[in-house]
Each structure stands twice: as C-alpha cells, then as structure tokens.
Amino acid sequence: MARLRRRLWAWMLAGFLVIAALTLYQAERTGRSESAAASCPESALECPGQEKPLPLPVPVDPSASPSPSESPSPSPTAASPSPTPPPSGSAPPAPAPGPACSATSPGACGFPDARSTGPRIALERHDTGNMSVKTDGMVIKGWDIRGSLDVYADNVTIIDSRITSTNWWGVNLRPGFKGLRVLHTTITALPGKGPDNGGVNYAVSNMGESSVEVGWCDISVFGNALSMGQGDLHDNYVHDIVAFRNLGGEWQHTDAVISGGGNKGRLMIRHNTLLNSVPIDKGASAALGLFADTGVVSNVIVDHNWLAGGAYALYGGGPGATGIQVTDNVFSTQYHPKSGLYGAVAAWNAGGAGNVWRGNRMSDGRPVVPEPSP
C-alpha cells in the first residue's frame, strides 16, 4: 500500500513539472509575440523581416497588339499591397511570364494596377472641403474625403483612404514642413470642377524641400499627378489623366510624374505604373517628365517602372542633368508604337556625371537606347 502511494505521488509530481514547463514555454512565446507586435504597429505596411523582393519585368508576347485600350477604373477596395521595394542594387529573380502579360496589361506583367493599390479597408465618408491639416503626427485612416488636404504639419500620414477633390490638388505639403506619407489611398478628382478653368493639377504636390512618400496609391484625373523634386514614389498606379484647357485657354500639359529640377534631395521613382493616355494635341507631355524648368535635374532614380504615353514616355533631365539612374524600366506600346508618340525617351544626357542607362526595354522585349542629345 505504501509503495502504491509513493508511485501515485511520483506521477503527480511528474505531471506538475510538465504543466510548469508548458506554462513557462507559453509565457516566453507570448512575450516574443508581444515584442514583435510592439515593433510592428497597426499602421505599418510590412513587419520587420517580412520584406519581399520585387519581380523583374517579364517578357511579353511580341505578337501582342500595340493598339490603345482603356485602363481599368480605380478600385476603392483593392487587394493586398505590392511588396516593399528592395534596397537599390538588389537583383531578385525574374518570375515566369504569365499568359495574360501584354503591352496593355501591366498588372499581369507584375506592375501595379487597380487590384494592388488603393485602400484595403472599409471607408467612412468625410465631407471636409478644402481642409488644412495643422497637427503634427496626425494619421488620417479609413476616410472617404470629399475635398482636399493642405498640410501645414510634420509627419502626417494618410493611409487606407480615398480623396475626391475639386481643388488644385488632392494632397499638398506646404513649404517648411516634412514627413508626409500618402499610402494605400485612391486620389482622384471631378473633371470640370477644378479652379483652373474646370481643371485640376496635382494629386500629390510637394512644395517643401523634404522627401514625401507616396506608395500603393491609385491616382487618376489630375493633369500632373505626382509633382515633386524629392520623394519616394513606389508601387503606384497612375492612369486615366484627363485633358483640360487652363485659365489661359491653352491645353494643360499632362504628366503622370513631373519634376521641375533644382531639387536638393533625392527623387526615387520605383515600381510604378505611369500611364498618360492624353492625346498629344490636347497637352500630353510624358509619362515621366524630368524637366529643368526651375533648375538642373539631379539625383533621381527611375527603376523598374511601366511607362506609356506622352510625346516621349520619359524626359531624362536634359543638358546638365547628373546622377540620373534609369534602370530596368518597361516602355509599353499601349498608346503609341514607340511608347511615346515620338519615341520612348528624349533629353537624355549620356555624358552627365553619375548618369546610368541600363536594362530598359520595350514591352515586346526590344532594348531601348536613347538617341544622342543635340
């Protein structure tokens, strides 16, 4: 009998030790999870260690029709975001070509479209009108805004929202302020309702001298959609720009991305779909215009974008431009057989210090080689 009691106590002690060990393991595991969650807030786009490489451009069927076609309509409830761009100089493996990849289907070729951009959550309507943001660190999330945002504050974040503007801009960062981020947001306008004789000019404008981040946004209508000299523009879908005559009665020049030169910081344009379907006789300039309008163009990275439309799809900065790296971009024939009406690229300064042209091609696989500048 005594032996039976000793055996029972031994089994009970062993069970207690097992329960204690499991409890300690679970506590340690929970602590690690809570620590990771603390370093990855709700507004984060990617948790630490979760970055994925971007796919390289994939070859397309050379027999694909280069005739124009309508772009998909903006989607306010897009699917999960595209992966965060890798560090400059990385070389991820190229995926196998998809059967639907063609000159008119950037999404099927691994580039942003309506399915991979815009808000990821349900939205609540906010009739803000032309609203001034003056609170540092303000986060605007889940808003369906009827109006525009004029930012007079630092470190403002606009995420998972929609902006429908009738102002000159959708979002504007004023001089002297910094840290603006516009992420997973649809930015559009009402044609004919803007102040410039019914037109609208800038989806996101950076009037300051600090960088602005615009990522995973679905942008349409605005004549010069993304306008800035320094910033980080990545994973955006710019499409369906609308032509309009300005207050002077002239057709407004249109560009999916425009930079006027004279910038003091870096402008990074990586993994975007930039479409300019506006006819040349109604003002189209470029899909991406680096113009020396206000100073010399310098320190710009144009990497792994899908470009189509304009007089030329890309204006490369012109004489005096330095530090311009144009790498692994696809020039689509969606609107013109040469990508732009007159060609893929103009104003490229091949002899400029730090200028790099590498790996750029047409959507049918032909390499793009800039003509010598006059």
Side-chain angles (χ1 to χ4, degrees), residues 46-223:
E46 299 284 349
C47 294
Q50 290 185 346
E51 290 191 355
K52 304 171 193 164
L54 284 173
L56 289 175
V58 296
V60 297
D61 182 2
S63 65
S65 172
S67 59
S69 70
E70 300 251 340
S71 301
S73 300
S75 171
T77 55
S80 59
S82 302
T84 300
S88 178
S90 61
C101 178
S102 72
T104 61
S105 58
C109 298
F111 290 86
D113 63 7
R115 295 167 296 180
S116 60
T117 56
R120 302 162 294 179
I121 60 176
L123 306 181
E124 179 182 351
R125 179 160 173 167
H126 288 255
D127 293 315
T128 64
N130 301 327
M131 174 181 170
S132 294
V133 179
K134 298 184 177 180
T135 302
D136 289 348
M138 183 174 182
V139 176
I140 294 174
K141 182 175 183 179
W143 288 23
D144 185 355
I145 295 170
R146 308 304 168 93
S148 63
L149 300 176
D150 207 3
V151 180
Y152 295 85
D154 292 340
N155 302 319
V156 171
T157 298
I158 303 158
I159 187 169
D160 288 315
S161 295
R162 177 182 176 92
I163 298 170
T164 305
S165 174
T166 57
N167 200 358
W168 297 95
W169 56 76
V171 183
N172 182 35
L173 180 67
R174 288 289 179 170
F177 299 96
K178 62 186 178 181
L180 175 65
R181 304 173 77 207
V182 185
L183 309 169
H184 290 288
T185 293
T186 293
I187 309 173
T188 189
L190 299 177
K193 300 295 184 180
D196 192 2
N197 196 31
V200 283
N201 294 76
Y202 313 109
V204 181
S205 171
N206 182 5
M207 298 177 67
E209 296 181 353
S210 68
S211 182
V212 166
E213 181 183 2
V214 183
W216 299 285
C217 289
D218 183 324
I219 297 168
S220 60
V221 178
F222 289 90

Side-chain angles (χ1 to χ4, degrees), residues 196-197 244-253:
D196 192 2
N197 196 31
F244 65 93
R245 293 185 185 272
N246 59 27
L247 288 171
E250 301 173 338
W251 287 107
Q252 174 67 36
H253 285 239

Side-chain angles (χ1 to χ4, degrees), residues 308-359:
Y312 290 88
L314 169 67
Y315 281 83
T322 59
I324 314 298
Q325 300 179 33
V326 183
T327 55
D328 298 320
N329 298 282
V330 176
F331 291 81
S332 168
T333 58
Q334 178 169 353
Y335 306 119
H336 308 290
K338 297 179 180 180
S339 192
L341 178 64
Y342 304 120
V345 57
W348 174 250
N349 180 18
N355 290 352
V356 176
W357 184 277
R358 183 182 64 245

Side-chain angles (χ1 to χ4, degrees), residues 11 45 97 110 129 144 176 189 223 258-259 261 271 275 307 354 361 366 369:
W11 280 107
L45 298 168
D144 185 355
I258 186 171
S259 180
H271 197 238
L275 308 178
L307 310 172
R361 64 176 180 83
R366 290 173 292 139
V369 180

Side-chain angles (χ1 to χ4, degrees), residues 259-263 291-296:
S259 180
N263 52 298
F291 301 115
D293 293 337
T294 57
V296 174

